[in-house]
Amino acid sequence: MSTVRRVAKNAGALFLGNNLTKILTFVLTIFLARYLKDVGFGKLSFAIEFTALFAVLIDFGINVIIIREVARNKDETSKYLGNALTLKFFLSIIALALIYFAINLMGYPPETRMAVYIAALIIIVQSFAVIFESVFQAFEHMEYGMFAKILRVLLRLALTLPILFLGYGVIAVLLIYLFVSVVNLMMYAVICTRKIIIPKFNFDFSFIKHLLKKSWSFAFMSVFTVLYMKIDITMLSKMQSDAVVGWYSAAYNLIFSLEYIPIAIGGALLPVAAVLYKNRDKMIMIYERMFRFLFSFTFPIAVGTTLLADKIILLIYGNDFINSIVALQILIWVILINFTLYASSVVLIALNKERQGMYVQLVCAIVNVVLNLIVIPKLSYIGASITTIISAIVFFVIVYFLLKKYLYTPPILRMIYKPIFAGLLMGLAVYYLSFLNLFVVIALGAVIYAGIMYLIGAITEEDKEILFKIIGGKQAQ
């Protein structure tokens, strides 16, 4: 199978699975926000995001190492898997202890502390599941993970909705999440042992040291990524209130519900790029295709969402979240930067430049924390939104110069001027059509943007061929 076909097949599996799971998760988020209201939703968001700060300790960069190393050495899969699971067990105990002491030192009320304890168990269980998913990616069998993810979200939705309808709160919701995560882990383990390989649980200290040596830079990169991406909610919780966290999280969740797209493409490309890392021309091709596709997809979304934010928030969340409108108008532009950064991340990891990526994350984490300390007391969640944008811009600029140093000078303007032209014209049309029904405006905007992109030659025949493969169309021969 050709490189393009392999990438398309695996991106298609990830796209289908993540698309469906994100839609179902999005539906669940709407019910959570409407039934828990801004305060309850803020409390739930804090518990999840606070424990996510410690999830990086459990992962410790192991997941990426599994994908890259198993893709290159499939004969040692069982050894990698067994020792990775063993290592995660000990890391989980350390993380759980740190979470317990941290949340108690911060002086939160009993209900919030209990929510954090349950959320901590959830991230531990999910961390073990991700190890199996990494093996699926290394073997380029993303369809296995897709199947398990869909079942997980369906089960979570089916069990959570009755709990909400009966009037139960945050703790009950998190207990359902924990139960579903355990079931999901069991599914991953069964699929892996039956379809791929059975892990060997022979504790090999020297091999675990080998894993840690290779993964430490990814671990620190993950720590800095979490500080860059998730620390704002924890800081808002301490400096403001649960309601403010709810408003910010409502906008944040809308935006990052789209994150499955670069994850699907990047997840499919990483094992391929890991093998082709010595082929400069193919690495450039991979980067440019991914960057151009992601920018072309996200720019019209950013423009349209900015213009229609009030209609979107009120339709989805209701009047309790009217304060989320401005946050959404600001945060939506983060996806334009973060999505294109996925293309750069895939290339840097494949080139074994993860240590440089770690330093970038460190700089952005420092920028994010410092700016949040300055602006949150004055501007609340609006300040946190602005800080997120600034941090993302800093990230993009530094990564651009890294690519210039280690691969080539990315032709950014050549890759973005056509989508910008088409997106601005679409935005003009959306502005004058905004009096229409929201769904009608979105549909018309999509048609106008696609039509302009086609007329100006921004969509090539090869782009259409790859896109048809990803969404399940007929493969060209």
Side-chain angles (χ1 to χ4, degrees), residues 24-35:
L24 294 172
T25 300
F26 180 62
V27 171
L28 179 57
T29 299
I30 295 173
F31 281 100
L32 287 169
R34 284 185 171 271
Y35 278 83

Side-chain angles (χ1 to χ4, degrees), residues 37-295:
K37 303 301 182 182
D38 50 3
V39 174
F41 188 66
K43 193 169 294 183
L44 176 67
S45 299
F46 167 71
I48 293 172
E49 298 300 331
F50 178 75
T51 51
L53 297 175
F54 298 85
V56 293
L57 174 60
I58 307 170
D59 291 335
F60 209 81
I62 299 168
N63 303 329
V64 179
I65 288 295
I66 291 293
I67 296 173
R68 190 180 71 183
E69 299 303 317
V70 170
R72 296 173 179 172
N73 308 285
K74 290 186 172 62
D75 291 341
E76 296 190 359
T77 302
S78 183
K79 188 175 184 180
Y80 271 103
L81 180 56
N83 281 280
L85 291 171
T86 303
L87 176 59
K88 281 209 173 191
F89 173 77
F90 292 107
L91 292 175
S92 296
I93 295 174
I94 297 172
L96 195 59
L98 289 175
I99 290 171
Y100 176 82
F101 287 114
I103 196 63
N104 279 275
L105 286 173
M106 294 172 74
Y108 278 96
E111 185 184 12
T112 302
R113 295 201 303 271
M114 179 58 67
V116 168
Y117 300 153
I118 301 170
L121 295 176
I122 294 170
I123 64 163
I124 289 172
V125 175
Q126 290 178 341
S127 177
F128 281 95
V130 173
I131 280 289
F132 291 106
E133 190 171 359
S134 297
V135 172
F136 300 157
Q137 285 185 240
F139 276 80
E140 299 183 50
H141 282 301
M142 281 72 164
E143 65 274 14
Y144 298 153
M146 175 198 72
F147 173 75
K149 277 184 178 179
I150 292 173
L151 287 180
R152 180 189 69 194
V153 178
L154 284 172
L155 185 59
R156 179 186 288 179
L157 185 65
L159 295 179
T160 304
L161 290 184
I163 291 295
L164 292 174
F165 296 156
L166 291 171
Y168 288 94
V170 173
I171 300 300
V173 169
L174 287 169
L175 286 172
I176 292 295
Y177 279 24
L178 177 59
F179 172 75
V180 173
S181 296
V182 172
V183 173
N184 181 245
L185 173 59
M186 294 170 63
M187 284 192 292
Y188 271 113
V190 170
I191 293 171
C192 184
T193 54
R194 291 189 176 184
K195 298 292 185 178
I196 304 290
I197 200 164
I198 298 174
K200 293 180 180 178
F201 289 100
N202 52 334
F203 184 82
D204 188 333
F205 184 71
S206 61
F207 192 77
I208 286 180
K209 284 177 60 179
H210 168 74
L211 274 178
L212 291 173
K213 184 178 179 180
K214 287 197 170 188
S215 67
W216 73 268
S217 55
F218 288 111
F220 280 98
M221 191 188 305
S222 297
V223 170
F224 303 142
T225 299
V226 168
L227 291 176
Y228 159 59
M229 296 287 289
K230 298 183 180 295
I231 193 64
D232 42 5
I233 288 180
T234 297
M235 296 178 75
L236 278 172
S237 177
K238 285 300 296 180
M239 297 181 188
Q240 301 293 315
S241 66
D242 287 333
V244 170
V245 174
W247 303 335
Y248 182 81
S249 298
Y252 192 93
N253 287 339
L254 274 178
I255 292 164
F256 289 94
S257 65
L258 297 170
E259 199 177 24
Y260 70 89
I261 296 167
I263 289 176
I265 299 173
L269 280 173
L270 182 54
V272 175
V275 175
L276 299 175
Y277 69 101
K278 292 183 179 180
N279 190 321
R280 180 178 179 275
D281 291 337
K282 287 191 176 182
M283 289 295 291
I284 291 173
M285 180 271 290
I286 286 173
Y287 170 75
E288 290 193 0
R289 289 267 172 81
M290 188 176 177
F291 183 100
R292 189 161 49 84
F293 177 82
L294 291 172
F295 187 91

Side-chain angles (χ1 to χ4, degrees), residues 168 219 267 388 433 439 459:
Y168 288 94
T388 301
L433 294 171
F439 297 104
I459 303 175

Side-chain angles (χ1 to χ4, degrees), residues 12-25:
L14 285 172
F15 186 87
L16 175 62
N18 286 324
N19 193 19
L20 183 56
T21 56
K22 286 294 182 181
I23 291 172
L24 294 172
T25 300

